[in-house]
Structures are given as structure tokens and as C-alpha cells.
Amino acid sequence: TLASTGETVDYEARILQADGSYAGYMTLAEAIAAVPTDGVQTRVEVMKNITLTAALDIPQDGKRNILLTDDGDGPYTITRAFTGETMIILRTGNEMTLEGSSGDDSNPSLILDGAGLAAASDQGIIKVGTNTSANYHATLTVNAGVKLTNNKSGSNGSAIRVYGTLNMNGGVLDGNETTGTGGAISVEITGAMNMTGGTISNNKSAKEGGGIVVYGTGKLTIDEGTITGNQGTAGGGICTLYSNSAGGTVTINGGIISNNTGSGNGGAIF
């Protein structure tokens, strides 16, 4: 409600400002565009269920550092209503943290839903960096209380495609599918993924890497977390693929990898 007029405004999102007050925005895209490019983290809160009719494209025009969360009154779902493009494109120079106010992966309060729309090329949920950039230094952090689900892609990494860096400290990636590789995540040759928590479950790839695929010089480090119930032709849980004269590097220090299925080679890892 606007104090000046008493009018109720149906904002999609709001930004927490430096003085502790909030600025409301009619669309999430407008809120994202209003985030400063100075690298200081800005809290953007989703205030309702949102239907995305076009990609949230975070441009390479500075350094936005976005904490995307909910306002605590959810859960809220951001749902895809378009095909042929990734839902959120995090271009070079930007950082984003996804975090649910619930802090609870069994009760997520911020959900990104691909709506099960028919698979199309490059139709993931989030792309971290892009393959058309001179460098790929975008960073995504996923914390507890977030779920990425029900997406279908015709390219690698139906939930997250990583050209930069992905830090997964929590969250759930569940029920995503691709006709390419990496049912949930594709770590590309320039990419790195660090997993210290969260769950990657029940994702499917028509090719390699039901849960995660790692290409070429890409790197995956797992300290904690669970990878379970995923399906692929090779490496139901994790698959490394030779690319650009190199094979992906996987380091596992802890965590659980269980009940994954490889129809050809490697139910857990290949």
C-alpha cells in the first residue's frame, strides 16, 4: 500500500534499499534492471507468483550482484510461459544468489518451474555466463529453500548450464529433463561447480549425465550433498566427457550418490 495515496499496488518484486526501506516494482524484470552495477549485493524479493513471458536477461554492462529471494509470505513460484530460451541468463560480470526465506529444502519458498513445456534448444532454467562471451566470469550461488524443477530442454543442462561458476550450498534440482546431456546441470569446458549441499534428484538425460555432465576442462568438486534417482545413458549420476582434447575433472570428498541409473555405462559415475 502506498502511504501517499492509500492505493494498493500489486508489485511482483521489491528491492531492499540502503536506508532499510523498500522500492516496489511492477515486474521482476524491472526490479532486476534497477539493481546497481557497482558489485554491492542487492536484495530482490519476489512478492507473488510470477509468470515469465520472456527471459530475464541480466546484461553484461557492469557488475550486478543480486540476492534473489522471496518476501517471507510465500512460497512463490516463477513459472515459464515461453519456449526457445533460458529463463534467466546471467551474463559475464554478474553474480546471483538464489535463496529461499524458508531456509528449508523440504519446504522451499522460492521455486523456478519450467512448466514442463516441450523441449527446445537452449531452454534451461538458468545459464551462468554465455558461450558467446570473451570470458565467462559469472557466478551463481544456490542456497537452501530454493527449487528448480519441471523443465525440459533440447540442450545441455536442463536446470543450470554453467560457463562460469556454480556454488551449490543447498537447494533442490528435481524432475528436469533434456534431450541433450546433463539432466540437471551441464558444466561446460570453461565452467566450475562446487557442491557443499543440496539435492540433485529425479532428473533425466537422453544422453550422458542424468544428474551432472562435466565437459573438457570443466571442474566439479563435491564436499556434501545428495545426487539420487537420476537417469542417463552413461553416468546416471555424473558423467565426464572428453572435449577440446581434455576430460572433465571430478573431485569427490563427501556426499551421497545413490540409486542413479545408466542405461549403458555407469549407474553412478562414468
Side-chain angles (χ1 to χ4, degrees):
T1 301
L2 298 179
S4 59
T5 64
E7 177 187 3
T8 299
V9 180
D10 193 19
Y11 293 125
E12 281 190 356
R14 65 186 185 184
I15 287 179
L16 179 62
Q17 302 182 108
D19 64 2
S21 65
Y22 284 98
Y25 294 86
M26 296 305 297
T27 69
L28 179 57
E30 290 172 355
I32 295 294
V35 171
T37 57
D38 57 6
V40 176
Q41 189 177 76
T42 299
R43 184 182 180 93
V44 179
E45 298 183 357
V46 172
M47 301 176 68
K48 58 184 292 189
N49 292 324
I50 295 173
T51 300
L52 279 187
T53 57
L56 287 176
D57 194 336
I58 303 167
Q60 186 178 333
D61 62 354
K63 185 176 181 180
R64 288 178 173 83
N65 188 342
I66 301 163
L67 169 57
L68 183 61
T69 185
D70 60 277
D71 66 2
D73 290 332
Y76 297 127
T77 301
I78 302 172
T79 304
R80 173 194 291 281
F82 64 97
T83 58
E85 185 55 280
T86 303
M87 289 176 66
I88 300 176
I89 304 170
L90 189 65
R91 296 191 183 272
T92 294
N94 296 295
E95 297 182 33
M96 176 177 280
T97 299
L98 298 176
E99 183 175 290
S101 66
S102 69
D104 182 359
D105 284 345
S106 66
N107 184 32
S109 55
L110 181 63
I111 302 163
L112 279 68
D113 189 339
L117 298 183
S121 179
D122 211 17
Q123 190 174 285
I125 294 179
I126 304 176
K127 186 189 296 182
V128 185
T130 68
N131 60 352
T132 58
S133 180
N135 62 73
Y136 308 90
H137 298 155
T139 301
L140 174 69
T141 299
V142 181
N143 292 332
V146 173
K147 185 175 185 179
L148 278 63
T149 189
N150 196 27
N151 195 68
K152 295 182 179 180
S153 178
S155 300
N156 304 343
S158 186
I160 306 174
R161 192 168 189 176
V162 185
Y163 292 98
T165 300
L166 169 63
N167 300 310
M168 186 170 178
N169 304 318
V172 177
L173 279 57
D174 181 86
N176 303 287
E177 299 182 22
T178 180
T179 58
T181 62
I185 298 171
S186 176
V187 181
E188 303 291 334
I189 61 172
T190 56
M193 176 181 173
N194 306 299
M195 186 176 185
T196 62
T199 300
I200 299 170
S201 57
N202 305 313
N203 303 284
K204 297 179 181 180
S205 170
K207 298 180 181 178
E208 298 90 349
I212 305 171
V213 67
V214 185
Y215 277 96
T217 52
K219 295 179 174 62
L220 169 64
T221 302
I222 302 174
D223 292 318
E224 294 292 344
T226 300
I227 301 172
T228 187
N230 304 286
Q231 301 176 34
T233 58
I238 302 168
C239 183
T240 64
L241 290 178
Y242 197 77
S243 178
N244 283 17
S245 302
T249 300
V250 177
T251 303
I252 301 175
N253 302 313
I256 297 170
I257 302 173
S258 66
N259 298 316
N260 301 284
T261 303
S263 60
N265 301 299
I269 302 172
F270 180 71

